[in-house]
């Protein structure tokens, strides 16, 4: 699958959280879910939004939450199948045996 953004482990982590479909996902909540700093999550969300994979909206100004307004992110409904396919293809463990002997791995596989 050819995607218009760099696919890193952190990108896959963000996409997996978005695929779970939880309501009201904002950058800090996503970063806590995946155990990565918000400073790496926000640029990923911006990249995904720039290429149309993610949509976002600001929290209503009249909401009861304390602190600054949050920006909620969700996966574009037209990208869900592609996102699932991307995660499956990139998260699959390697099944090919390279023949390289590594310490602790019998037979190099």
């Amino acid at each position: 699958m050819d995607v218009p953004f760099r696919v890193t482990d952190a990108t896959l982590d963000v996409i997996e959280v978005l695929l779970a479909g939880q309501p009201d996902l904002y950058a800090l909540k996503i970063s806590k879910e995946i155990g990565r700093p918000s400073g790496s999550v926000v640029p990923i969300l911006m990249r995904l939004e720039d290429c149309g994979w993610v949509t976002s909206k600001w929290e209503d100004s009249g909401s009861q939450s304390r602190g600054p307004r949050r920006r909620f992110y969700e996966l574009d409904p037209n990208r869900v199948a592609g996102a699932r396919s991307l995660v499956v293809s990139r998260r699959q463990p390697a099944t090919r045996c390279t023949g390289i002997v590594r310490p602790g791995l019998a037979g190099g596989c």
Side-chain angles (χ1 to χ4, degrees):
M1 165 182 274
D2 191 30
V3 292
F5 51 86
R6 191 176 71 176
V7 180
T8 63
D9 286 338
T11 303
L12 293 173
D13 290 344
V14 169
I15 291 172
E16 284 181 321
V17 170
L18 293 168
L19 278 168
Q22 296 177 27
D24 300 334
L25 285 172
Y26 51 96
L28 186 58
K29 187 175 184 178
I30 294 170
S31 70
K32 287 179 180 180
E33 286 274 329
I34 63 177
R36 294 187 183 270
S38 61
S40 65
V41 170
V42 171
I44 291 169
L45 289 166
M46 292 171 64
R47 240 184 346 265
L48 292 171
E49 188 170 21
D50 286 345
C51 65
W53 278 56
V54 166
T55 58
S56 68
K57 64 179 178 184
W58 283 103
E59 180 177 40
D60 293 332
S61 58
S63 85
Q64 298 293 335
S65 70
R66 295 176 7 173
R69 286 189 327 163
R70 295 176 285 200
R71 189 167 190 90
F72 296 120
Y73 296 89
E74 65 182 1
L75 199 56
D76 183 280
N78 298 318
R79 301 292 186 170
V80 171
R84 281 194 182 115
S85 175
L86 177 65
V87 169
V88 167
S89 69
R90 300 291 177 103
R91 292 281 196 205
Q92 270 187 334
T95 56
R96 199 179 97 215
C97 178
T98 62
I100 298 171
V101 177
R102 296 187 181 110
L105 296 177
C109 295

